Amino acid sequence: MSLAGNALEKDIWELETINLRDFGKGKHANVDDTPAGGGAGMVLRADVLAEAIDATTDEQDARPRLLMSPRGKPLTQEKVRELSRTDGIVIVCGRFEGVDERVIEARNLEEVSIGDYILSGGEPAATILLDAIVRLLPGVMGNEESGETESFENNLLEHPHYTRPAEFEGKTIPQVLTSGNHGKVDKWRHEKSVELTRTRRPDLLGDD
Ligand code: SAH
């Protein structure tokens, strides 16, 4: 089972899902309608979404309200860490061309993107956001330390990893890693991290 699934069973976090359809309008319980001004796709109605949000939150509810959307601010590990320290979040997602702008403003929805590409629906994006947050919750990761050295913490990509066998298709493990000298190992790993970040993600170092 997944880390997040295990943590759910251990009651470390819980998920309440709300079906927008329960707040739909008319005989067919419609939640969306055609875009004002014309064009492709359907737009999630402001009244429907507002009622769905109001049904699960009250005035004192300070939980961040996120709307999964390619227009949003790209998700970062820093943001994930910030969200992992809150008492919970409300995530809005669906399969719509768009969401009526008025409800985004009226209910203070913060648009979050998981990357510069388009999915057919917001659910996988929401799942990704949840997975990233849940693994940071206390008691979820076996080795608490592993969260600290990972890619993006310190704005660096992680160093390369090696394990047995000592030789694989003629390739050996860098000697420093088997030397038992922890100081040298740390230094080597840091250098490799910087090197890798410089080649693959110079934007993280701020010098692209
Ligand atoms: N017309 C929109 C894209 C709609 S994609 C636009 O151009 O901005 C359909 C749904 O998938 C959206 O409602 C959104 O919730 C979700 N989605 C698609 N790509 C996403 C991404 N990169 N990050 C977060 N959510 C995304």
Side-chain angles (χ1 to χ4, degrees):
M1 197 197 278
S2 68
L3 212 70
N6 265 327
L8 191 62
E9 284 211 331
K10 284 200 262 169
D11 289 328
I12 291 176
W13 69 293
E14 58 182 357
L15 180 68
E16 181 197 359
T17 55
I18 292 168
N19 192 349
L20 290 176
R21 182 66 72 182
D22 296 342
F23 302 88
K25 302 289 173 194
K27 196 165 59 166
H28 301 290
N30 288 329
V31 300
D32 53 9
D33 212 326
T34 53
M42 297 293 274
V43 177
L44 177 56
R45 288 173 60 128
D47 50 356
V48 171
L49 181 54
E51 282 167 38
I53 290 173
D54 295 348
T56 185
T57 54
D58 57 32
E59 305 242 304
Q60 280 91 56
D61 196 330
R63 288 178 296 174
R65 297 165 184 180
L66 311 172
L67 169 63
M68 306 316 295
S69 153
R71 298 195 320 185
K73 211 168 174 189
L75 186 64
T76 59
Q77 186 63 15
E78 193 188 350
K79 181 70 179 177
V80 167
R81 199 167 276 285
E82 178 194 313
L83 293 172
S84 76
R85 296 195 177 113
T86 66
D87 291 332
I89 60 176
V90 177
I91 307 177
V92 178
C93 62
R95 309 183 160 255
F96 305 97
E97 198 58 42
V99 174
D100 191 306
E101 196 69 22
R102 293 170 295 179
V103 68
I104 297 179
E105 290 163 12
R107 292 298 178 276
N108 199 16
L109 303 181
E110 181 183 345
E111 293 183 66
V112 176
S113 166
I114 60 155
D116 289 343
Y117 41 79
I118 310 291
L119 303 168
S120 62
E123 298 89 345
T127 308
I128 284 168
L129 174 64
L130 282 175
D131 186 275
I133 294 172
V134 167
R135 64 188 285 286
L136 295 182
L137 299 178
V140 174
M141 261 195 300
N143 179 0
E144 299 286 339
E145 196 202 358
S146 85
E148 309 274 304
T149 64
E150 247 145 11
S151 292
F152 305 123
E153 305 293 342
N154 317 317
N155 274 338
L156 289 176
L157 301 182
E158 203 178 43
H159 54 78
H161 296 279
Y162 298 88
T163 186
R164 277 183 271 278
E167 191 179 324
F168 166 70
E169 297 184 352
K171 290 178 194 254
T172 54
I173 295 173
Q175 226 165 16
V176 56
L177 297 180
T178 49
S179 68
N181 184 330
H182 295 296
K184 279 196 176 156
V185 169
D186 286 349
K187 186 165 170 280
W188 181 89
R189 285 181 170 164
H190 182 72
E191 282 165 11
K192 287 290 168 191
S193 276
V194 173
E195 207 176 295
L196 213 64
T197 311
R198 188 158 290 139
T199 7
R200 294 188 187 173
R201 294 291 306 278
D203 57 301
L204 292 177
L205 297 169
D207 54 20
D208 59 328

